Amino acid sequence: MERVSLERKVLSENDRIAADLRARFTEHDILCLNLISSPGSGKTSLLERTLDSFDRRERAAVLTGDIQTENDAKRLARSGFPVKQITTGGTCHLDARMIERALLDWRLEDIDLLLIENVGNLVCPSSYDLGEAAKVVVLSVTEGEDKPLKYPSIFFKSELLVLNKIDLLPYVPFDIAVAEENARRVHRDMEIVRVSCQTREGMAEWLSWLDCKRGNSRAAASAS
Amino acid sequence: MERVSLERKVLSENDRIAADLRARFTEHDILCLNLISSPGSGKTSLLERTLDSFDRRERAAVLTGDIQTENDAKRLARSGFPVKQITTGGTCHLDARMIERALLDWRLEDIDLLLIENVGNLVCPSSYDLGEAAKVVVLSVTEGEDKPLKYPSIFFKSELLVLNKIDLLPYVPFDIAVAEENARRVHRDMEIVRVSCQTREGMAEWLSWLDCKRGNSRAAASAS
């Protein structure tokens, strides 16, 4: 019981900071997305392709979380957009305080789109609100079509499922229709895009979803 | 600080139960292995192939952990060996207490080999001793060769790395030599086997490692 109540305390402190971040993102008209997946599902590759597709005048920025190494920040920084690594040391997820600290020396006025790549973990990150407008879950087709049923929390909480590495479909026993059906058993209205970062198939759909969210975010900010 | 000390308390209680389990496994001459990986790296497929390769008189049993669903237990039970699902509800790892409870209605006298499939998570399970003789980390070649550097704890603590899904090597940007070098940067003496559960390549090496561990385990038990 002691453990449960302490977890609640940690989560409610996280929620307080996340609410403050969300208010600041709205104030500055920033769309913030929180990308979550297993290790190696291709979040970094998806972000690389996304940044590569942007006009250099886009005001996009990335925070990328890992337990160790700055590998992902180095890969993403090649795009020329502002990128910062958050190294958690051993913690299995990002929390709102880490985001708050990472943003300290960035001017929010200069950002329109903030992409957060969470630590590779399909479980723990789902409990930590980072102030994002939406969570996006990435699942690669090499991981098996039952993952939405096995890890329902993150599929329930995510607005979009990116089914990644579809170029590998001919080589793996993965029924994409069953995977999508499983995702919608957990989250009926879940939006889904099928993507390959290798062949770029589906990138247009992902970028169009992103554009649509950015439009919605601007509309919400101007209405508030 | 409160959080850290509570975590220590939880872990030291876990260690106490794990030590008790380890003593019972030694007493009954049981080799217990704890398999850990990301979601979808192929732990269940590896166990399916392993059980399929066994003589029916083998005294093997499996405990398989997941947050939700009994899918893995159903898959593995087809082998005819005793299999039990541990559904954690939301917890991101197995702990020693869950193992202790799951074993309550099994006679340890009837088991020689206990294979534990942990929850799919490369982070949290590494902190929880389950009384196993060795941890085995499974990494599939679709996940990227930098994972040992990003998730060093589990690679440091595992005796064996199973590099799985090598049949997919022609289709993914994965340098297997770099992956192995990275694993050995974290854990110098790590043993490594390359496996495909689809083509069965490397299964003989994995089974031979297992045989060798079983021999060692029997020798240790008879010496104690």
Side-chain angles (χ1 to χ4, degrees):
Chain A
M1 294 307 271
E2 193 185 0
R3 194 180 183 199
V4 169
S5 70
L6 184 62
E7 268 183 23
R8 275 203 198 119
K9 202 169 143 193
V10 170
L11 284 172
S12 97
E13 171 69 358
N14 186 78
D15 283 348
R16 192 190 58 73
I17 302 168
D20 179 53
L21 284 170
R22 186 167 284 112
R24 290 167 62 201
F25 295 152
T26 304
E27 181 194 340
H28 291 285
D29 202 2
I30 296 173
L31 173 67
C32 173
L33 298 176
N34 178 4
L35 275 74
I36 297 174
S37 80
S38 306
S41 298
K43 295 181 295 304
T44 314
S45 297
L46 182 68
L47 290 177
E48 279 182 311
R49 297 288 171 274
T50 305
L51 296 175
D52 283 352
S53 76
F54 283 168
D55 188 298
R56 290 288 160 265
R57 287 166 301 183
E58 285 275 5
R59 293 150 36 103
V62 180
L63 296 176
T64 180
D66 264 307
I67 291 179
Q68 290 293 347
T69 83
E70 303 235 328
N71 293 3
D72 288 354
K74 284 180 196 153
R75 279 173 63 185
L76 293 165
R78 291 182 203 128
S79 66
F81 290 98
V83 174
K84 198 178 285 182
Q85 181 80 45
I86 302 175
T87 308
T88 67
T91 304
C92 52
H93 58 269
L94 294 179
D95 65 31
R97 175 84 70 196
M98 297 176 196
I99 304 302
E100 190 182 45
R101 283 196 194 124
L103 292 175
L104 277 179
D105 54 355
W106 276 355
R107 283 168 41 92
L108 294 189
E109 293 78 359
D110 298 338
I111 301 173
D112 288 338
L113 175 66
L114 178 64
L115 298 162
I116 302 176
E117 178 182 357
N118 219 308
V119 175
N121 183 332
L122 218 43
V123 192
C124 317
S126 84
S127 302
Y128 289 81
D129 184 4
L130 306 181
E132 70 274 348
K135 289 183 173 66
V136 173
V137 60
V138 181
L139 176 69
S140 75
V141 304
T142 61
E143 294 171 57
E145 58 277 277
D146 61 351
K147 292 299 169 290
L149 306 180
K150 285 186 171 180
Y151 302 85
S153 172
I154 186 55
F155 287 84
F156 181 73
K157 290 180 179 175
S158 294
E159 206 165 295
L160 178 75
L161 163 60
V162 177
L163 270 172
N164 197 17
K165 307 195 189 180
I166 57 168
D167 55 295
L168 295 177
L169 278 173
Y171 315 113
V172 292
F174 184 89
D175 187 327
I176 200 160
V178 171
E180 294 182 350
E181 191 184 307
N182 286 339
R184 291 198 170 115
R185 276 171 67 184
V186 173
H187 180 167
R188 206 179 51 179
D189 303 320
M190 186 160 226
E191 295 181 79
I192 301 176
V193 293
R194 302 173 176 189
V195 167
S196 163
C197 295
Q198 296 297 313
T199 65
R200 311 211 178 201
E201 194 183 338
M203 280 302 293
E205 286 75 12
W206 152 248
L207 292 169
S208 150
W209 181 87
L210 206 55
D211 258 356
C212 188
K213 284 300 292 179
R214 296 176 78 175
N216 292 346
S217 148
R218 277 189 292 271
S222 62
S224 69
Chain B
M1 292 309 270
E2 193 186 0
R3 194 178 182 199
V4 170
S5 70
L6 185 61
E7 270 183 20
R8 274 203 199 119
K9 202 170 143 192
V10 169
L11 284 173
S12 97
E13 172 68 358
N14 186 78
D15 284 349
R16 192 189 57 72
I17 303 168
D20 179 53
L21 284 170
R22 186 168 284 111
R24 290 167 61 201
F25 295 151
T26 305
E27 182 195 339
H28 291 285
D29 201 3
I30 296 173
L31 173 68
C32 173
L33 298 175
N34 178 3
L35 275 74
I36 297 174
S37 80
S38 306
S41 298
K43 295 182 296 305
T44 314
S45 296
L46 182 68
L47 291 177
E48 280 183 311
R49 296 289 171 271
T50 306
L51 297 176
D52 283 352
S53 76
F54 283 169
D55 187 298
R56 288 288 159 267
R57 287 165 301 184
E58 285 275 5
R59 294 152 35 104
V62 179
L63 297 176
T64 180
D66 263 308
I67 291 179
Q68 291 293 346
T69 84
E70 304 234 328
N71 293 3
D72 288 355
K74 284 180 197 154
R75 279 172 63 184
L76 293 165
R78 288 182 206 131
S79 65
F81 291 98
V83 174
K84 198 178 283 183
Q85 181 80 47
I86 302 174
T87 308
T88 68
T91 303
C92 51
H93 58 269
L94 295 179
D95 64 32
R97 175 83 71 194
M98 297 176 196
I99 304 302
E100 189 182 47
R101 282 196 195 125
L103 292 175
L104 277 179
D105 54 355
W106 276 355
R107 283 168 43 93
L108 294 188
E109 294 78 0
D110 299 337
I111 302 174
D112 287 337
L113 175 66
L114 178 64
L115 298 162
I116 302 176
E117 179 182 357
N118 220 308
V119 175
N121 183 333
L122 218 42
V123 192
C124 317
S126 84
S127 303
Y128 290 81
D129 183 4
L130 306 182
E132 70 273 348
K135 289 183 173 65
V136 173
V137 59
V138 181
L139 176 69
S140 75
V141 304
T142 61
E143 294 171 57
E145 59 274 278
D146 61 351
K147 292 300 168 290
L149 306 180
K150 284 185 169 179
Y151 302 86
S153 172
I154 185 55
F155 287 85
F156 181 72
K157 290 180 179 175
S158 294
E159 206 165 295
L160 178 75
L161 162 61
V162 177
L163 270 172
N164 197 16
K165 307 194 191 184
I166 58 167
D167 55 296
L168 294 177
L169 278 173
Y171 315 112
V172 291
F174 184 89
D175 187 327
I176 200 161
V178 172
E180 294 182 349
E181 190 184 307
N182 286 339
R184 291 199 170 116
R185 275 172 69 185
V186 173
H187 181 167
R188 205 178 53 179
D189 303 319
M190 185 161 228
E191 294 181 80
I192 302 176
V193 292
R194 301 173 175 188
V195 168
S196 163
C197 295
Q198 296 297 313
T199 65
R200 312 212 176 201
E201 193 182 339
M203 280 302 293
E205 285 75 12
W206 152 248
L207 292 170
S208 148
W209 182 87
L210 206 55
D211 258 357
C212 189
K213 285 299 292 180
R214 296 176 78 174
N216 293 345
S217 148
R218 275 190 293 270
S222 62
S224 71

